[in-house]
Amino acid sequence: MITLDKLSEFGADVKDGLIRCMNKEDFYLMLVNKALNDNRLSELEQQIYYKNYHSAFETAHTLKGMYSNLSLTPLTVPINEMTELLRNGTDTDYTALLEETKTQFRRLCEL
Amino acid sequence: MQELLERKQGLHRTVLIVDDEFIEREMLGAMLSGLYEIIYASNGMTALEIIKKKKKTLSLILLDFHMPVLDGYSLLKILRSDSELRSIPVIVLTSEKKAEVKSLQLGAADFISKPYEAPEVIQARVRHSIELFEDRIIIHDTERDELTGLFNKEFFFEYGKRLNNQNGNMPMDALVLDINRFHIINELFGRSYGDKVLKIIGQSIHELVRQTGGLACRSNSNCFGIYIPHMDNPKDHLPRFISMIEDNLDDRKISFRIGIYSDDGNALDMEQRFEHADLVCRKIKNSYTTCFDIYNAELHSKELHSERLINDMDTALSEKQFKLFYQPKYNISDSKPVLASVEALVRWYHPEYGIIPPAEFITLFEDNGLIRQLDNYVWNEAANQIKQWKDAGFNVPISVNVSRVDVFNPRLVEILSDITRSRGIDSENLLLEITESAYSDNAQQIISTVINLREKGFKIEMDDFGSGYSSLNMLCSLPIDALKLDMEFIRNICDNKKHLRLVEIMI
């Protein structure tokens, strides 16, 4: 079960995330759990695999908003980078960035 | 307006959050739910349906740009192009700098960046946007005439002054448009038709101001003020504007007139310009041939002079500045002319203007009703003179004028009887001259008054006969003692046999 302490250990800026949730811990944890159940990271992987960069940008942009509002910093860093590359339709190797995101997402799920 | 005021007092405000992302939607909702009623929509299409349903109660829309079905850009464009929905403020939610600029260009009230700032900041931005929106509506409703959408008079002059300051006192013309006999239109065709006329004229004025620049107001029930950049030749431009209104009205029963103050470089303030335009508008009030005219200094000077005379009248009466002169009337039926009576002629010895002939003030006083006071003064002075002559052993009747407005005074007989009775003079010595034109106003009324006066012993003379349109038939039915032929009429009898014959018949 995810707790604020575990999220801090994960590297999330819990204090920052809580402020956006009016310092309601339960509400914040509920939203983090929502993010954990979101499967759009897999969608993003597929879209990049098929080089559907326009859709990939939309997905990455959404994930970026979600992770950054929850202050899930370890996820925010790689997804931000991907979003900016995809915004310009950059045809590059996204493997490392995707792997980093997936790794951090797995870490979060394992908390 | 009432609904808005209640919402402004914090009784009820609703905010719509439009975002496809549950987490962001809920996060914003948590920040605002203690302050407002929150409604959520997960895409633009759903949001549009909600907005249309709740357009009267929505205080604000928080709108994400990236959404499925109908994105935020498209929704914002739809809202801005809809006259009923465009006034609801929209704050755009975005994480992109470019989108911030674009949203403001599209008419968004503000933007909130993602990731969200502290709740206090977001709450303040929301509150600020709602207040601006509500204040704008209140100001709009306060500054505008509800029927025509034009400014009301107070705001018109306020904004006009600002316009002058901002434009470095650019030459500006003032126009006053007044609908002729508007109360009759309301009475004959109903108030709703009158309102329709006002609206159409208001729309035409909106169109004029849109073309020329400037601003306009509905200054009272049937009068409009228009303040526009100076036209070089108003006489060339105005007919086009007048035609536009007439075409829009499509009703020849409705007529109006326009008084214009054309900027002549005299740097008058806005109020003075409109006073001048109004003066012209009033001047052509009864003209059937002129529907617009332009102010000129000569007219103004004449008007000022008239105003001065009106203002000075009370003092003139109390200081006896009006002097009576007596023009003798002789009976020439015998070989030697015999003094029969005199006619009182009034002159004004004004302390500043000197002797003012009656032509300058009689018509003026007739127009505003002051003539009753002057007539009363003359009757009393003439009665005093009759008394003085009587005391000196002379019996000389004096003719005095009874103006048209006096004839309709129900106390006329009583007033004149009191004047003669109080001085112990005979009523028949006060000869009452009633101008011919008065008889055609309301013949029945005047005949009745004249009969009453004659019963009290007064002699009645019809003045200026031949200058108006009296019929011979009317002459027979009028109970008068003397007919005073108009000078112009008499002047023609030497050259014109018809006139001569007519005079012979009448005599």
Side-chain angles (χ1 to χ4, degrees), chain A residues 16-17 19-22 24 27-28 30-32 34-35 38 40 57-58 61-62 64-66 68-70 87, chain B residues 20-24 26-28 30-33 64 66-67 94-96 113-120 123:
Chain A
D16 191 48
I19 286 173
R20 289 196 194 92
C21 294
M22 308 293 288
K24 294 174 182 168
F27 181 59
Y28 177 55
M30 185 272 280
L31 294 182
V32 171
K34 270 278 177 190
D38 193 284
R40 270 176 287 192
F57 165 71
E58 295 290 332
H61 185 265
T62 302
K64 175 190 157 188
M66 190 192 306
S68 56
N69 268 323
L70 292 168
R87 183 194 301 281
Chain B
D20 59 325
E21 278 310 305
F22 175 84
I23 291 171
E24 292 171 12
E26 289 297 316
M27 206 173 253
L28 267 183
M31 292 178 190
L32 301 171
S33 60
D64 185 35
H66 291 277
M67 285 187 298
T94 179
S95 58
E96 296 167 47
S113 302
K114 292 180 184 179
Y116 298 139
E117 295 167 285
E120 294 78 18
Q123 288 164 356

Side-chain angles (χ1 to χ4, degrees), chain B residues 139 143-144 151 154-164 166 215 227 270:
Chain B
I139 289 170
E143 72 184 9
R144 302 268 171 179
F151 287 116
E154 289 71 23
F155 279 86
F156 172 68
F157 279 102
E158 184 58 39
Y159 290 145
K161 283 173 200 166
R162 285 191 203 176
L163 189 72
N164 287 344
Q166 286 163 2
L215 62 164
Y227 197 46
M270 192 179 170

Side-chain angles (χ1 to χ4, degrees), chain B residues 176-389:
Chain B
V176 170
L177 185 153
D178 201 344
I179 304 169
N180 294 325
R181 293 169 285 115
F182 186 67
H183 63 288
I184 300 287
I185 295 167
N186 270 337
E187 279 176 27
L188 286 180
F189 306 108
R191 186 164 289 277
S192 63
Y193 187 76
D195 285 351
K196 186 182 161 195
V197 168
L198 291 169
K199 272 187 190 175
I200 292 172
I201 292 179
Q203 283 161 7
S204 306
I205 293 173
H206 272 299
E207 178 59 24
L208 172 75
V209 171
R210 196 185 61 74
Q211 289 173 12
T212 60
L215 62 164
C217 75
R218 182 178 167 208
S219 51
N220 66 35
S221 65
N222 51 285
C223 198
F224 299 84
I226 307 165
Y227 197 46
I228 53 175
H230 176 61
M231 300 174 277
D232 275 340
N233 298 302
K235 282 185 177 169
D236 296 339
H237 294 283
L238 257 293
R240 201 155 39 86
F241 174 50
I242 289 165
S243 297
M244 178 173 80
I245 300 177
E246 287 174 344
D247 290 347
N248 291 343
L249 282 170
D250 194 24
D251 183 346
R252 298 297 168 200
K253 296 188 293 295
I254 313 295
S255 66
F256 54 89
R257 59 191 190 280
I258 301 175
I260 305 150
Y261 170 77
S262 181
D263 197 319
D264 53 8
N266 271 340
L268 298 181
D269 64 35
M270 192 179 170
E271 278 93 348
Q272 287 173 313
R273 289 165 203 242
F274 274 92
E275 279 168 18
H276 292 348
D278 190 48
L279 180 72
V280 179
C281 197
R282 278 188 280 126
K283 191 197 78 170
I284 56 174
K285 186 171 184 177
N286 296 316
S287 170
Y288 289 95
T289 52
T290 310
C291 69
F292 74 90
D293 206 353
I294 301 166
Y295 168 86
N296 64 55
E298 189 186 337
L299 173 79
H300 182 56
S301 163
K302 196 175 164 190
E303 191 70 16
L304 281 181
H305 181 65
S306 299
E307 286 295 325
R308 175 73 192 276
L309 295 185
I310 289 167
N311 288 335
D312 288 352
M313 188 192 180
D314 279 344
T315 311
L317 288 173
S318 63
E319 292 180 357
K320 293 187 178 285
Q321 291 172 11
F322 292 103
K323 305 287 181 196
L324 297 194
F325 292 85
Y326 299 100
Q327 179 174 286
K329 290 197 274 191
Y330 290 95
N331 182 346
I332 55 170
S333 55
D334 292 334
S335 56
K336 191 178 174 189
V338 178
L339 180 68
S341 64
V342 295
E343 180 176 349
L345 304 174
V346 66
R347 298 291 181 270
W348 186 349
Y349 279 68
H350 193 280
E352 193 175 319
Y353 299 135
I355 301 175
I356 304 175
E360 268 186 45
F361 58 86
I362 295 290
T363 312
L364 183 66
F365 292 165
E366 278 176 344
D367 284 347
N368 60 21
L370 287 175
I371 194 71
R372 284 171 69 169
Q373 292 177 48
L374 180 63
D375 281 347
N376 213 297
Y377 173 90
V378 170
W379 299 338
N380 278 287
E381 289 295 297
N384 289 340
Q385 187 62 66
I386 293 168
K387 173 78 166 60
Q388 273 183 30
W389 285 335

Side-chain angles (χ1 to χ4, degrees), chain A residues 55-88:
Chain A
S55 300
F57 165 71
E58 295 290 332
T59 308
H61 185 265
T62 302
L63 291 171
K64 175 190 157 188
M66 190 192 306
Y67 297 154
S68 56
N69 268 323
L70 292 168
S71 300
L72 302 172
T73 316
L75 280 164
T76 309
V77 175
I79 205 75
N80 276 359
E81 201 173 328
M82 264 194 286
T83 305
E84 292 316 306
L85 287 168
L86 289 166
R87 183 194 301 281
N88 302 319

Side-chain angles (χ1 to χ4, degrees), chain B residues 23-191:
Chain B
I23 291 171
E24 292 171 12
R25 224 164 47 215
E26 289 297 316
M27 206 173 253
L28 267 183
M31 292 178 190
L32 301 171
S33 60
L35 304 168
Y36 309 101
E37 184 187 331
I38 306 295
I39 312 174
Y40 298 97
S42 58
N43 65 62
M45 195 54 81
T46 311
L48 185 58
E49 286 168 15
I50 294 172
I51 294 165
K52 283 181 177 170
K53 268 188 206 160
K54 296 185 176 287
K55 62 190 173 196
K56 295 210 181 292
T57 53
L58 268 184
S59 291
L60 180 73
I61 301 166
L62 292 166
L63 180 64
D64 185 35
F65 266 180
H66 291 277
M67 285 187 298
V69 188
L70 181 68
D71 64 33
Y73 281 115
S74 307
L75 178 59
L76 189 54
K77 279 184 185 169
I78 291 170
L79 297 179
R80 286 294 158 262
S81 61
D82 188 311
S83 60
E84 285 191 306
L85 306 179
R86 73 160 64 106
S87 62
I88 306 171
V90 175
I91 294 181
V92 165
L93 311 168
T94 179
S95 58
E96 296 167 47
K97 286 283 172 200
K98 278 185 185 170
E100 290 169 359
V101 176
K102 193 173 176 183
S103 60
L104 293 176
Q105 286 170 340
L106 277 174
D110 200 355
F111 57 84
I112 289 175
S113 302
K114 292 180 184 179
Y116 298 139
E117 295 167 285
E120 294 78 18
V121 176
I122 290 180
Q123 288 164 356
R125 288 191 156 209
V126 165
R127 187 178 64 243
H128 182 63
S129 289
I130 290 174
E131 279 177 1
L132 274 180
F133 154 70
E134 291 177 350
D135 289 349
R136 196 176 63 194
I137 289 184
I138 289 171
I139 289 170
H140 183 276
D141 287 356
T142 311
E143 72 184 9
R144 302 268 171 179
D145 165 51
E146 200 175 340
L147 192 66
T148 61
L150 296 168
F151 287 116
N152 64 38
K153 196 174 175 182
E154 289 71 23
F155 279 86
F156 172 68
F157 279 102
E158 184 58 39
Y159 290 145
K161 283 173 200 166
R162 285 191 203 176
L163 189 72
N164 287 344
N165 292 334
Q166 286 163 2
N167 290 344
N169 289 319
M170 182 173 81
M172 296 289 284
D173 294 345
L175 281 69
V176 170
L177 185 153
D178 201 344
I179 304 169
N180 294 325
R181 293 169 285 115
F182 186 67
H183 63 288
I184 300 287
I185 295 167
N186 270 337
E187 279 176 27
L188 286 180
F189 306 108
R191 186 164 289 277

